[in-house]
Amino acid sequence: MEFSIYRFNPDTDREPRMQAFTLDDAMVEPGMMLLDALILLKEQDDSLGFRRSCQHGVCGSDGMNINGSNGLACITPLSKLKTPIVLRPFPGMPVIRDLIVDMDNFYRQYREAEPWLVNDTPEPEVENLQSPADRERLDGLYECILCGCCSASCPSYWWNPERFLGPAALLQAARFIEDSRDQDTERRLERLDDAYRLYRCHSIMNCTQVCPKGLNPAKAIGDIRRTMIKRSL
Amino acid sequence: MNITVRKFDALIIGAGGAGLRAALQLSNADARVAVVSKVFPTRSHTVAAQGGVNAALANVLPDSWHWHMFDTIKGSDYLGDQDAIEYMCRAAPKVVYELEHFGVPFSRLDNGTIYQRAFGGQSQNFGQDQAARTCAAADRTGHAILHSLYQQNLRARTHFFDEYFAVDLIKDDQGYVLGVVAFEILTGKPIVIEAKTTLIATGGAGQIFRTNTNALSNTGDGMAMALRAGVPLEDMEFVQFHPTGIAGRGMLITEGARGEGGFLINGEGERFMERYAPKVKDLASRDVVSRAIAVEIREGRGCGRNKDHALLDLRHLGADTIMKKLPGIREMTLTFLGLDPIEQPIPVFPTCHYSMGGIPTNRDGQVVVPVKDTPEDPVPGLYAAGEAACVSVHGANRLGGNSLLDILVFGRAAANHILEYLGENPHHRALPQDSVDRALERLARWDREGEGEAVEPLRRELRKVMEDHCGVFRTAEVMREGVAKLQTLRERIDQAVIRDHTQTFNTARVEALELENLWDCAIATMHSALGREESRGAHSRVDFTERDDERWLKHSLYSLQDDALDYKPVRTQPLTVESFPPKKRVY
């Protein structure tokens, strides 16, 4: 099985290059994921850099660009990929080394969304109550694993990473706006009501297409907009 | 060498649930706290916990902390320390309510309270009817908890060192632990993080076994650091094999799947757990269910062409329950097996899941070691919590839903004790240069160039040795061979080299250091298992099939420096209630 992998090490390279790797077909087992292959390729060349941890799509470490589309290596079956498999770091994010990108700005935008519950009423001795229907409104929002696949596939985020929060952070914003226990809705909406932070989203939908968890940031962004309009009326 | 030094009141190594719960407590109390993690915090393995966290909230069925305590002690096969268990079970409702206030999106019951499901080993009224004690956010409870804790730490402005690798503890000649030598993975630059207290919250060492449910990063770094700092590890022979890892792959299928009503079948289509645990069947303790599957397969009643696994059947639960309560496991079986549990049963096999053992602590999270006649003398400035620690609330076998509880209760308790300690020890002590130098030497050792074996094949071999020689069923002869193989491996690891000697984000170096940590944990496990001549909880000896309370109702302590085992008594005296004396375990 053939691979073509983006290589760049700032310590030794001036320019990035694509390096060909071959994985012996005998080593390719049925059901094997791309991450399994990468680990075997790293045995051939231990300088090949990529992040990984949980191996089943919940920690969000191994996001990368796979044959032109962002995804998680650990839940991408080799059998579904055309060869040579072309692997690049996320587009639009600064490359640290090989497939490893600098996600500082991505995390900064996440923090900008103030992703924590705000509730200033005196704490009850037991749980806050929430109806199953209210809780269901968080489904599709809270499951984000911060892998970055969405924001790194969003042209608006590529062009304005400093000012546009990007789909991942906006999904978080929606998660707290929708939470019946949160009391900061008004201020959250005000903070987002900005030509860049929210409104740079042009509904290109790449985010939704690539999300490895099947979430729909585009819809969440649309819902925030609708809530804003309703409030302004 | 000119090396950066940063100073904090409290240092936390590891950003999973235990580390982040402690960090939050400390930040909220205005302590200067630093969290060092080799991965971005939300990538920590707490994120993978599925089923839930136990607390006697009684939202679904009657419950009490005292029943929870009884179940935990019975589950531990009476090796758990009863004072710590009482403390944990009493604290459970409070820490779960706190989590809810932090924003954790728990699933809900119709009356708006937190959803609770049945899990293995839970009972009402000291062993009577099944209880429903596990608080859940669908089957993504760990994710929900870890993300909420991280978010609260952002709000509290905790200081994070993301993607820094902790190499070794700094310890002075009076035994005080004063921080850690680490390096920034991004630049390769070493750093000294000085702190008045250090909390190890680095999680387990599941990667010592070939097939496991754990993240690749679960390499027992903190346990190994403690060993090298002269702290023995406690009860390392007790490794939990989860009954329902995906066969051949290891990914976890939550016990919640059986809690919701799923059951196991063998190759003859029989619900075999009825024979092993007539009363609670598929919801017996994990050690019992794992052994039952292993026995079924060994006696030729496995499923599939090679009769090498059991099947977990959820079909009768219906699409609605599966989609609402177990969406994550459905997603996983679809991804990894191309199988929909609504239509087909899932092939499962017992898979290494959890280290019951770890760094010995008291219930305040202080690391305790034997000194002369005292079995539990605190190491000043050193704390541990979560899977890295052994407090010991899990004893010989952990109940499902008690690990998330453990990290929350003891992460919090450790932080509270740290605050006390900081009050009494307001000043930094002098930094012992020799201790820093030793850690830097360990780091520099991997700069060696030239010929030598590579890291990855050695890691694979180590994991295979553990699986073959220290698996579900153990004998002295096989384990003795295992010890010898590990010793040979150690010599080879000492000669191994990495090819990549660049500085920027060098993952080869990280993996090399992890391999050394894995070996330290592996040898502790193998020796402790060989030492314990009885069967108890997760430790099954073919040559000593019975539990032997007369000789073995005690904790093992393995010391790396002396390469020797020591033992200390189990704390059978609870805090306020009567002790639960050992009884035969029947489920």
Side-chain angles (χ1 to χ4, degrees), chain A residues 61-109:
Chain A
S61 298
D62 61 350
M64 58 187 68
N65 189 269
I66 305 160
N67 281 351
S69 178
N70 294 346
L72 298 179
C74 60
I75 51 171
T76 301
L78 282 178
S79 58
K80 288 198 179 149
L81 295 173
K82 264 207 325 221
T83 55
I85 296 168
V86 181
L87 302 179
R88 294 173 182 276
F90 277 155
M93 290 192 185
V95 176
I96 292 173
R97 171 181 184 159
D98 301 338
L99 301 171
I100 299 165
V101 292
D102 178 347
M103 295 181 73
D104 280 357
N105 187 66
F106 175 82
Y107 297 137
R108 188 178 64 78
Q109 298 294 34

Side-chain angles (χ1 to χ4, degrees), chain A residues 9 11 31 42-43 46 51 53 59 97 107 115 126-128 130 135 142 144-146 175 181 213, chain B residues 43 97 100-101 103 105 108 112 114 143 151 163 216-217 249 331 460 499-500 502-504 507:
Chain A
N9 182 340
D11 298 2
K42 192 174 171 65
E43 253 185 82
D46 72 4
R51 293 188 177 100
S53 186
C59 79
R97 171 181 184 159
Y107 297 137
V126 294
E127 68 267 62
N128 297 296
Q130 185 173 45
R135 169 58 185 78
Y142 83 93
C144 171
I145 57 171
L146 299 178
R175 179 244 173 278
R181 299 170 296 173
K213 303 307 287 180
Chain B
R43 324 268 181 235
Y97 292 140
E100 197 281 332
H101 301 158
R108 298 290 171 150
I114 294 170
H143 171 281
Q151 293 163 344
E163 302 192 316
L216 287 165
S217 53
R249 307 217 46 140
E331 186 184 307
R460 249 198 326 257
R499 267 80 189 165
D500 181 5
T502 59
Q503 294 304 315
T504 304
T507 47

Side-chain angles (χ1 to χ4, degrees), chain B residues 202-271:
Chain B
T202 48
Q207 285 295 335
I208 59 175
F209 285 87
R210 187 170 70 104
T211 313
N212 64 72
T213 63
N214 282 205
L216 287 165
S217 53
N218 288 16
T219 49
D221 301 344
M223 294 179 183
M225 263 186 272
L227 273 177
R228 290 190 298 266
V231 175
L233 293 185
E234 179 176 343
D235 291 344
M236 288 299 283
E237 64 272 38
F238 297 102
V239 176
Q240 180 162 76
F241 289 82
H242 195 291
T244 58
I246 293 182
R249 307 217 46 140
M251 285 82 187
L252 173 69
I253 303 294
T254 174
E255 187 165 308
R258 280 171 286 135
E260 296 289 343
F263 51 75
L264 293 159
I265 46 182
N266 64 16
E268 292 163 10
E270 179 205 9
R271 280 192 68 177

Side-chain angles (χ1 to χ4, degrees), chain A residues 3-229:
Chain A
F3 294 77
S4 172
I5 303 180
Y6 179 102
R7 302 300 309 270
F8 175 69
N9 182 340
D11 298 2
T12 51
D13 304 334
R14 278 214 191 138
E15 300 269 318
R17 67 202 145 85
M18 296 303 289
Q19 183 182 337
F21 282 88
T22 306
L23 185 62
D24 191 339
D25 286 333
M27 297 181 85
V28 180
E29 288 166 28
M32 211 165 168
M33 297 289 165
L34 175 57
L35 178 61
D36 303 324
L38 275 171
I39 290 170
L40 291 172
L41 295 180
K42 192 174 171 65
E43 253 185 82
Q44 297 176 16
D45 177 353
D46 72 4
S47 72
L48 177 62
F50 54 91
R51 293 188 177 100
R52 85 286 180 278
S53 186
C54 79
Q55 314 170 80
H56 62 273
V58 292
C59 79
S61 298
D62 61 350
M64 58 187 68
N65 189 269
I66 305 160
N67 281 351
S69 178
N70 294 346
L72 298 179
C74 60
I75 51 171
T76 301
L78 282 178
S79 58
K80 288 198 179 149
L81 295 173
K82 264 207 325 221
T83 55
I85 296 168
V86 181
L87 302 179
R88 294 173 182 276
F90 277 155
M93 290 192 185
V95 176
I96 292 173
R97 171 181 184 159
D98 301 338
L99 301 171
I100 299 165
V101 292
D102 178 347
M103 295 181 73
D104 280 357
N105 187 66
F106 175 82
Y107 297 137
R108 188 178 64 78
Q109 298 294 34
Y110 171 70
R111 291 194 297 272
E112 276 297 304
E114 300 192 352
W116 48 79
L117 193 76
V118 177
N119 186 324
D120 293 328
T121 50
E123 260 184 20
E125 284 161 60
V126 294
E127 68 267 62
N128 297 296
L129 297 181
Q130 185 173 45
S131 71
D134 279 344
R135 169 58 185 78
E136 229 166 82
R137 280 160 54 199
L138 305 182
D139 285 343
L141 300 174
Y142 83 93
E143 303 92 328
C144 171
I145 57 171
L146 299 178
C147 63
C149 286
C150 58
S151 293
S153 72
C154 171
S156 299
Y157 184 79
W158 297 340
W159 294 323
N160 291 292
E162 311 281 318
R163 299 173 72 185
F164 173 49
L165 292 191
L170 288 169
L171 188 80
Q172 289 297 323
R175 179 244 173 278
F176 287 94
I177 289 168
E178 287 296 324
D179 196 321
S180 60
R181 299 170 296 173
D182 189 87
Q183 298 177 332
D184 211 21
T185 315
E186 210 60 49
R187 212 183 53 90
R188 291 183 188 280
L189 290 169
E190 262 166 44
R191 280 172 52 86
L192 291 173
D193 195 359
D194 171 286
Y196 281 90
R197 287 173 159 243
L198 173 74
Y199 284 101
R200 278 290 125 166
C201 168
H202 297 306
S203 308
I204 301 167
M205 304 286 285
N206 283 2
C207 53
T208 300
Q209 209 157 23
V210 300
C211 176
K213 303 307 287 180
L215 309 180
N216 191 341
K219 178 176 175 297
I221 294 169
D223 289 344
I224 297 176
R225 284 176 165 172
R226 251 189 307 283
T227 311
M228 266 182 192
I229 292 165

Side-chain angles (χ1 to χ4, degrees), chain B residues 79-107:
Chain B
L79 193 71
D81 288 336
Q82 299 197 12
D83 57 340
I85 294 174
E86 177 177 346
Y87 179 84
M88 177 177 81
C89 297
R90 277 178 175 275
K94 184 179 172 56
V95 300
V96 169
Y97 292 140
E98 274 176 352
L99 281 183
E100 197 281 332
H101 301 158
F102 296 155
V104 171
F106 283 109
S107 299

